[in-house]
Amino acid sequence: MSTPVSPFSYLSTLWVQLTGTWCNLQCVHCINASGPKNPWLKSLDPKTVKRSIREAETFGVKEIYFTGGEPFLHEDILDLLAFALQAAPTTILTNGTMINGTVADALAALASQTPYSFEIRVSIDDIDAEQNDRIRGKGAWAKALKAIQLLHARGLLPILTATEPVHQSLSEESGLYTRFRNFLLSLGIDKPRVKIIPIFPIGRMAVVGAPLLTEEVLQGFDFSLLQCSETRVVADGGIYSCPILAGLAEARLSEESLQDSFKPCRLYHPACVTCYHTGMTCKNF
Amino acid sequence: MQAIKEYRRIAVFGGIYNNALALEAMLEDVYKREVEAVFCLGDMGGFGPHPDRVFPLLKAAGVLAIQGNYDESLALGKGDCGCGYTDPRDNFFARVSYEYTFQNTSLNNKAWLGRLPKQRRIRLGPLQVSMCHGSPRTINEFLWESSTPNGLVQKFLRHGGTDVLLCTHTGIKWQRRLPEGKHLVNVGVIGRPENDGQTNVWYTILTAGDDLQVEFVPVHYDHERLALEMEQEGLPPEFIETIRTGWWTTCMEILPAKERRRGKY
């Protein structure tokens, strides 16, 4: 049985896997098993990041995303965000624990200096501190919440991002979205923004023997619904097909050049099944 | 191949969203402004009351229309509007809006929507002008001012071999002038106000000259009558609030931070 492939349409989104799997937290559901010790995927140097952004700009990239690990651990993060924001709308995905008043001020300054949208996604997995910290580590909830409030106070409208523990489809009935929305409103955050993402069978949630996509299942499927049809990721070691699989040898499409990565990619991983079922996109919208 | 028609001065609008009252007011305004043609960039339905009232007005005025994602969905009998919301609250309201419009649009009008072209091309004086609903590559792509980098606009213009790109879909007008006389104009919508606390809606007049002249024109219409009609049709109070106040209350997920910040919710 051959592995199905997803065609490449055009480059809409560039992801920068900035800090590899280096993170100050060690969440139980982390897609790439990030943590503070011995990251298996290294951080990127600023030269590589800027080269990829410049190249992406020549191909009309629409959005740039920074992720990790925890991207605020990178010493050049503010400079790199400023660079990206001159090229295209930019989003950073963070656990929020490193955003204090000084960092929030710097982010507000970046937002005011760009014509493009600057989005900050802060991860929280439960409105209850104890439940959240069971997943994300002790003290994570309070720090992330503080970050959301600091950003809100500066008009930055952070997007609270929560992981829903389902594999097949994002459930409206679970009420997770409404709980978070009401929670933010109760804190006086009058423009609440919430994004729910599913659990992926990868990283710390890898499932042995999890199902894979087949060509039979994908008969007549609209591949434009898969983010790998218009997304590429720069991470240590080269250019990869999607942010979930960044750093994995089988998802690597080129060594350095974005253009060389503009080719069909193999839907070889159980995580591809989650995207197929949920219509999952790592993008904000 | 059909020859590309040349104009000097045109009116362009998008997003009627069943708002026949605003359409009527806009067309009356247009007649006073000596334009050679009126173009609509799609999304006739959604949000407002009595979808079928829009079509006779468009036909009588000879409006040259293209398809929006809403029109495509209605014509093909799809299950949703094709905006692609992921937020459950936005999805709920989008479903209410689409089901009402689907049930109240006649088969003849759905078929008419199905015959509309997806894009158009004209000349405006010396300028090549391309019209689309969302973007040249995707009917439901949102081109907000803050989410559309110059590199992307230049790519669209280069690939299309055009000088001016016209779009709508987002519900908020904007324009950008690029080097070498190139332009992108999001012409706005006449179906609902643009989240600025004002009840009027907007359309656009384009005039050929040494450089393209872009004029955004406000349209004031009987929005209170529209609100009452929406109430009589049992449409959601959240939609009616938008008509009465000028603030968006639903489908907020699609707004980038910069545009969201300007609104009330």
Side-chain angles (χ1 to χ4, degrees):
Chain A
M1 201 168 58
S2 62
T3 304
V5 294
S6 170
F8 180 76
S9 302
Y10 48 80
L11 182 71
S12 174
T13 312
L14 175 71
W15 284 77
V16 179
Q17 238 283 0
L18 187 63
T19 46
T21 54
W22 180 32
C23 188
N24 56 338
L25 300 183
Q26 197 165 311
C27 305
V28 298
H29 56 32
C30 184
I31 56 161
N32 55 19
S34 288
K37 291 177 193 163
N38 307 318
W40 62 265
L41 189 66
K42 285 189 284 185
S43 294
L44 288 171
D45 64 275
K47 214 170 112 190
T48 303
V49 175
K50 290 183 178 177
R51 188 186 60 226
S52 293
I53 289 172
R54 272 192 216 104
E55 192 184 356
E57 196 179 6
T58 64
F59 290 107
V61 73
K62 193 177 181 194
E63 293 180 274
I64 299 166
Y65 289 77
F66 283 79
T67 186
E70 170 49 50
F72 279 104
L73 288 170
H74 200 287
E75 62 181 1
D76 297 305
I77 181 62
L78 293 175
D79 175 53
L80 292 172
L81 284 172
F83 186 85
L85 281 163
Q86 291 311 307
T90 298
T91 296
I92 184 162
L93 277 60
T94 174
N95 60 37
T97 58
M98 299 180 70
I99 297 179
N100 56 23
T102 310
V103 174
D105 284 342
L107 297 175
L110 286 176
S112 69
Q113 288 157 10
T114 172
Y116 303 133
S117 176
F118 178 33
E119 310 285 1
I120 303 162
R121 284 194 1 210
V122 180
S123 296
I124 289 188
D125 285 326
D126 205 292
I127 62 169
D128 177 73
E130 202 179 309
Q131 294 285 353
N132 179 82
D133 289 359
R134 246 178 242 164
I135 299 166
R136 307 188 64 81
K138 199 167 180 206
W141 190 86
K143 286 179 187 165
L145 195 62
K146 182 75 183 164
I148 286 175
Q149 289 171 315
L150 288 168
L151 296 169
H152 169 73
R154 287 156 180 78
L156 288 170
L157 307 191
I159 302 171
L160 185 156
T161 306
T163 305
E164 181 160 38
V166 293
H167 284 291
Q168 293 294 305
S169 64
L170 293 180
S171 154
E172 290 173 33
E173 288 75 31
S174 76
L176 189 65
Y177 171 87
T178 306
R179 276 206 302 283
F180 276 116
R181 185 172 187 277
N182 291 340
F183 174 65
L184 292 174
L185 285 168
S186 76
L187 296 173
I189 293 173
D190 54 358
K191 296 184 175 78
R193 301 171 89 199
V194 177
K195 181 173 174 70
I196 308 286
I197 55 173
I199 290 268
F200 282 84
I202 190 171
R204 294 206 177 91
M205 298 299 283
V207 178
V208 178
L212 298 170
L213 287 175
T214 63
E215 285 183 354
E216 198 182 7
V217 165
L218 291 166
Q219 283 282 326
F221 179 68
D222 176 4
F223 284 94
S224 73
L225 297 172
L226 296 178
Q227 56 183 339
C228 48
S229 70
E230 55 178 62
T231 290
R232 288 296 179 257
V233 187
V234 55
D236 184 51
I239 308 294
Y240 300 82
S241 54
C242 91
I244 307 293
L245 305 179
L248 300 181
E250 282 190 89
R252 195 170 76 152
L253 296 167
S254 78
E255 284 183 13
E256 185 179 292
S257 151
L258 268 177
Q259 188 167 16
D260 289 350
S261 77
F262 297 165
K263 55 190 175 188
C265 65
R266 296 170 66 243
L267 301 169
Y268 75 97
H269 199 280
C272 304
V273 180
T274 309
C275 283
Y276 167 77
H277 278 300
T278 61
M280 167 63 190
T281 171
C282 295
K283 296 194 293 184
N284 301 333
F285 175 70
Chain B
M1 211 172 100
Q2 217 175 359
I4 294 175
K5 206 160 173 188
E6 185 172 336
Y7 302 89
R8 301 294 303 176
R9 183 170 160 88
I10 61 170
V12 192
F13 67 99
I16 304 170
Y17 308 151
N18 298 340
N19 191 342
L21 297 171
L23 175 60
E24 212 167 10
M26 187 214 81
L27 290 169
E28 274 174 28
D29 190 75
V30 163
Y31 294 140
K32 297 176 209 156
R33 293 175 187 264
E34 296 178 354
V35 302
E36 295 159 304
V38 184
F39 294 88
C40 172
L41 304 189
D43 274 5
M44 318 308 171
F47 200 76
H50 308 301
D52 277 344
R53 291 184 185 175
V54 161
F55 298 91
L57 297 170
L58 287 174
K59 289 173 191 171
V63 172
L64 299 164
I66 62 171
Q67 233 179 40
N69 54 294
Y70 229 93
D71 312 315
E72 182 185 62
S73 287
L74 289 170
L76 296 174
K78 286 186 183 175
D80 64 43
C81 62
C83 284
Y85 299 114
T86 61
D87 179 325
R89 185 173 180 273
D90 288 348
N91 261 326
F92 169 78
F93 285 110
R95 203 158 46 235
V96 170
S97 171
Y98 183 73
E99 283 170 6
Y100 171 83
T101 303
F102 191 86
Q103 282 161 16
N104 290 282
T105 304
S106 72
L107 285 175
N108 273 347
N109 285 332
K110 284 178 187 158
W112 184 82
L113 290 171
R115 289 193 295 272
L116 295 176
K118 303 264 189 211
Q119 303 198 3
R120 275 184 192 274
R121 199 167 172 117
I122 61 162
R123 289 184 70 91
L124 202 57
L127 300 169
Q128 295 276 353
V129 178
S130 293
M131 304 181 190
C132 62
H133 178 74
S135 79
R137 63 187 177 194
T138 319
I139 198 167
N140 65 352
E141 180 166 14
F142 291 97
L143 297 182
W144 305 96
E145 185 171 16
S146 81
S147 75
T148 309
N150 286 343
L152 180 62
V153 180
Q154 277 156 346
K155 178 184 153 179
F156 285 152
L157 294 169
R158 203 168 52 239
H159 281 205
T162 194
D163 304 303
V164 181
L165 180 61
L166 306 180
C167 64
T168 179
H169 189 51
T170 61
I172 300 180
K173 66 181 183 321
W174 61 278
Q175 65 159 317
R176 191 177 298 158
R177 193 179 301 265
L178 289 108
E180 297 168 12
K182 310 282 185 187
H183 296 260
L184 187 149
V185 184
N186 186 317
V187 300
V189 298
I190 62 156
R192 68 170 182 171
E194 58 175 34
N195 202 22
D196 58 359
Q198 304 296 315
T199 55
N200 65 278
V201 294
W202 295 85
Y203 76 100
T204 303
I205 289 187
L206 300 171
T207 310
D210 288 341
D211 194 6
L212 178 71
Q213 289 174 40
V214 180
E215 184 188 356
F216 293 122
V217 185
V219 177
H220 297 272
Y221 70 101
D222 192 348
H223 66 276
E224 185 52 37
R225 186 173 147 201
L226 185 80
L228 290 172
E229 287 179 5
M230 290 168 78
E231 282 173 350
Q232 284 158 6
E233 287 298 287
L235 288 163
E238 288 84 353
F239 293 1
I240 297 161
E241 183 185 340
T242 296
I243 294 301
R244 285 202 168 110
T245 66
W247 297 116
W248 292 3
T249 57
T250 59
C251 301
M252 310 298 276
E253 178 194 13
I254 56 174
L255 280 166
K258 273 191 196 282
E259 281 78 3
R260 179 93 183 249
R261 199 174 299 130
R262 294 185 209 132
K264 182 178 179 187
Y265 298 108

